[in-house]
C-alpha cells in the first residue's frame, strides 16, 4: 500500500546511486518493509493468544465477548459498535502517521536548513474539531440509549430477588423471599426466553465501595455504602460464571471472587430447599459443636438451628456446599478449612477474621464439626 521496498524508497531521493544506498544500510536505518514486518509479527505474537483466549469465554478470565444474559448481549453489541468506530479512527490516524514517517523520513542528502513553515488553516481546523465532536455525540447518544434500555427493564412477577452485600473482602448473598443466606456463590435459575425468570439483584455495601462485575452476565455496578444499586441478569445457558470485585477496595480487592452458578429450574429449586434447611445436627461431632458454641466464632458467624447468630462473617449453615473459602482464597477442603481457622492471614493476609489460636486437638475437633455443615 503506502510502503515500498528499500531500493525504490531510496530512489525517491534526487541524487540516488548504488553507493548512497549501501551507506544508508551501514547507517543502520531499517527499511520500511522490515519495520512493517517486525511490527506485524510482534502485534500478532502479543495480541493473538489474548484475543483467542478471550473470545470464546473459555480462557482463564471471563470475557465480555461471550455473553449469556440480555444486559451482557447489549454490552457486547455496544462494544462492537464502539470498537468499529474507534478502530476506523485508529487505522486512519496510524495510516497517515506511518505514511508521513516513511514518505518524509530524513535522507542522507537532505539539506540541513529548515523547510518552509506553514501556520493556520481555518478549513482543516474546523474539520478536525467538528468531525470528532460529531463522533463523540454519536457515541454518547448510543451509549445513553443502551444504558437506558438496560436500567429501565421492568421486573416481571416471576423474578428472583437477591440482595448482595459487599464486605471487605467477601460477598454476602441473601434471598429475602426464600429465607436463604449464603456467601460468595450466587445460585440462580436459568431464564427461559419464553417464560423469563430473571434475577434482580440489590447491591449494598457494609464498608467501602466495591464493584459488582460478572462480565458474561451484566455490566459493572458500584456497591456503595448507604446507597442501593440494582442490576439484573437473565442467563439463558446453565453453567458457572466467574465475577470479581472491579473496584479497588483494599488489601484483598483481588480476592473477592464471585461465582455464579446458573441452574436448570428444578436444580435451583433443589438447591434452595437444601439451603433453607437448618444446620445438620450430627451426633458424631457434638464435641466440635459445643466447642464452636463456646468460642468467639458465634459472635461473627451464623449457623441456623444453633446459638450462633453473628452477622459480621459469612453464614456457615451450609458452609461445605461452597467451593471456596475466603471468597476464592482456597478450595474448600477440610485441610484448607483447618489452616484457615488456625490463621486466616496465612491464606488471605488482611482478612478480618482473627487467628483463633486453638490447640491442634481443638482445631481438629472444630474442623470435624464444620465439615458436617453441608
Ligand atoms: Cu471489593 Cu475490590
Amino acid at each position: 500500500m503506502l510502503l515500498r521496498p528499500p531500493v525504490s524508497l531510496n530512489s525517491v531521493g534526487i541524487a540516488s546511486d548504488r553507493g548512497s544506498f549501501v551507506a544508508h544500510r551501514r547507517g543502520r536505518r531499517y527499511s520500511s518493509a522490515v519495520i512493517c514486518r517486525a511490527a506485524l509479527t510482534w502485534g500478532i505474537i502479543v495480541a493473538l493468544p489474548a484475543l483467542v483466549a478471550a473470545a470464546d469465554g473459555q480462557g482463564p478470565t471471563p470475557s465480555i465477548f461471550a455473553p449469556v444474559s440480555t444486559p451482557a448481549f447489549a454490552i457486547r453489541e455496544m462494544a462492537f459498535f464502539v470498537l468499529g468506530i474507534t478502530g476506523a479512527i485508529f487505522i486512519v490516524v496510524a495510516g497517515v502517521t506511518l505514511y508521513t514517517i516513511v514518505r518524509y523520513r530524513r535522507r542522507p542528502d537532505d539539506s540541513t536548513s529548515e523547510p518552509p513553515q506553514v501556520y493556520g488553516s481555518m478549513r482543516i481546523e474546523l474539520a478536525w474539531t467538528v468531525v470528532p465532536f460529531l463522533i463523540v455525540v454519536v457515541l454518547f447518544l448510543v451509549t445513553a440509549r443502551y444504558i437506558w434500555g438496560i436500567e429501565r427493564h421492568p421486573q416481571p412477577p416471576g423474578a428472583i430477588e437477591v440482595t448482595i452485600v459487599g464486605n471487605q473482602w467477601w460477598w454476602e448473598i441473601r434471598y429475602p423471599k426464600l429465607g436463604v443466606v449464603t456467601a460468595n456463590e450466587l445460585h440462580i435459575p436459568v431464564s427461559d426466553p419464553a417464560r423469563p425468570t430473571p434475577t434482580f439483584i440489590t447491591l449494598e455495601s457494609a464498608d467501602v465501595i466495591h464493584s459488582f462485575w460478572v462480565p458474561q452476565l451484566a455490566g459493572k455496578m458500584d456497591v456503595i455504602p448507604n446507597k442501593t444499586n440494582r442490576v439484573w441478569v437473565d442467563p439463558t445457558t446453565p453453567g458457572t460464571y466467574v465475577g470479581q470485585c472491579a473496584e479497588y477496595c483494599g488489601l484483598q480487592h483481588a480476592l473477592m471472587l464471585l461465582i455464579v452458578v446458573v441452574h436448570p429450574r428444578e436444580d435451583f429449586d433443589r438447591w434452595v430447599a437444601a439451603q433453607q434447611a437448618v444446620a445438620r445436627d450430627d451426633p458424631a461431632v457434638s464435641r466440635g459443636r459445643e466447642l464452636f458454641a463456646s468460642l468467639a466464632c458465634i459472635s461473627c458467624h451464623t449457623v441456623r438451628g444453633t446459638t450462633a447468630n453473628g452477622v459480621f462473617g459469612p453464614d456457615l449453615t451450609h458452609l461445605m456446599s461452597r467451593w471456596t473459602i475466603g471468597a476464592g482464597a482456597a478450595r474448600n477442603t477440610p485441610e484448607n478449612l483447618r489452616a484457615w481457622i488456625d490463621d486466616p492471614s496465612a491464606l488471605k493476609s488482611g482478612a478480618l477474621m482473627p487467628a483463633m489460636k486453638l490447640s491442634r486437638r481443638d482445631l481438629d475437633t472444630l474442623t470435624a464439626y464444620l465439615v458436617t455443615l453441608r
Side-chain angles (χ1 to χ4, degrees):
M1 27 170 260
L2 301 168
L3 305 163
R4 298 184 225 175
V7 176
S8 62
L9 271 175
N10 193 57
S11 70
V12 172
I14 303 156
S16 161
D17 60 25
R18 212 61 208 144
S20 78
F21 178 59
V22 173
H24 188 88
R25 289 277 295 264
R26 283 209 189 107
R28 305 277 295 167
R29 292 221 196 110
Y30 295 104
S31 74
S32 57
V34 170
I35 295 172
C36 191
R37 261 205 308 275
L40 200 66
T41 311
W42 277 105
I44 290 171
I45 289 172
V46 171
L48 203 62
L51 282 175
V52 169
D56 64 358
Q58 303 300 311
T61 47
S63 169
I64 65 156
F65 294 110
V68 295
S69 161
T70 304
F73 277 114
I75 288 167
R76 180 177 67 171
E77 222 171 82
M78 173 81 211
F80 279 140
F81 176 75
V82 174
L83 276 176
I85 290 188
T86 51
I89 294 173
F90 174 78
I91 287 168
V92 169
V93 172
V96 171
T97 307
L98 262 181
Y99 173 78
T100 314
I101 289 171
V102 174
R103 174 73 179 73
Y104 299 103
R105 72 192 185 284
R106 196 168 125 189
R107 289 162 216 278
D109 48 0
D110 275 350
S111 83
T112 50
S113 61
E114 223 176 50
Q117 303 293 299
V118 182
Y119 296 100
S121 163
M122 186 58 120
R123 253 196 279 170
I124 293 178
E125 281 165 21
L126 263 179
W128 73 43
T129 308
V130 172
V131 172
F133 177 76
L134 290 179
I135 293 173
V136 171
V137 167
V138 168
L139 289 177
F140 171 79
L141 289 178
V142 173
T143 309
R145 197 176 141 245
Y146 272 88
I147 293 177
W148 188 263
I150 292 171
E151 299 219 325
R152 294 287 127 167
H153 191 82
Q155 179 174 333
I160 307 293
E161 285 180 19
V162 182
T163 301
I164 297 186
V165 185
N167 287 266
Q168 283 181 318
W169 293 275
W170 59 284
W171 307 96
E172 183 182 53
I173 300 171
R174 299 176 163 274
Y175 299 71
K177 285 190 175 165
L178 301 174
V180 169
V181 181
T182 181
N184 304 323
E185 285 168 28
L186 173 65
H187 292 252
I188 54 177
V190 76
S191 181
D192 179 1
R195 274 183 41 248
T197 48
T199 301
F200 277 70
I201 303 168
T202 303
L203 293 168
E204 293 167 4
S205 173
D207 36 47
V208 297
I209 300 176
H210 307 270
S211 176
F212 176 89
W213 192 32
V214 188
Q216 287 174 272
L217 300 184
K220 287 178 189 172
M221 183 57 79
D222 275 5
V223 184
I224 303 172
N226 300 318
K227 176 167 173 38
T228 300
N229 277 338
R230 310 256 287 159
V231 287
W232 64 276
V233 298
D234 62 345
T236 46
T237 321
T240 302
Y241 304 99
V242 176
Q244 168 63 37
C245 179
E247 184 150 317
Y248 183 70
C249 55
L251 193 57
Q252 288 296 348
H253 155 70
L255 267 185
M256 275 188 81
L257 180 70
L258 180 76
I259 295 170
V260 182
V261 185
V262 177
H263 298 274
R265 184 70 209 206
E266 315 79 65
D267 281 10
F268 175 71
D269 293 338
R270 264 198 296 279
W271 178 84
V272 169
Q275 295 288 316
Q276 282 169 334
V278 296
R280 284 163 64 101
D281 189 359
D282 189 340
V285 292
S286 55
R287 274 200 32 241
R289 188 167 48 252
E290 283 156 22
L291 179 62
F292 182 78
S294 73
L295 292 167
C297 311
I298 57 169
S299 46
C300 287
H301 293 286
T302 291
V303 178
R304 270 179 298 121
T306 74
T307 48
N309 60 359
V311 292
F312 293 112
D315 187 305
L316 301 182
T317 311
H318 299 288
L319 169 67
M320 296 315 284
S321 70
R322 305 200 281 261
W323 286 335
T324 72
I325 40 180
R331 290 303 289 260
N332 191 5
T333 62
E335 303 76 55
N336 286 342
L337 192 58
R338 188 181 185 281
W340 178 269
I341 302 162
D342 188 30
D343 183 8
S345 68
L347 293 169
K348 188 171 181 174
S349 78
L352 297 188
M353 174 172 155
M356 295 308 291
K357 301 203 166 58
L358 300 175
S359 68
R360 296 174 124 223
R361 255 193 52 213
D362 282 356
L363 262 181
D364 291 336
T365 312
L366 197 58
T367 309
Y369 163 61
L370 290 174
V371 298
T372 66
L373 301 177
R374 286 194 291 269

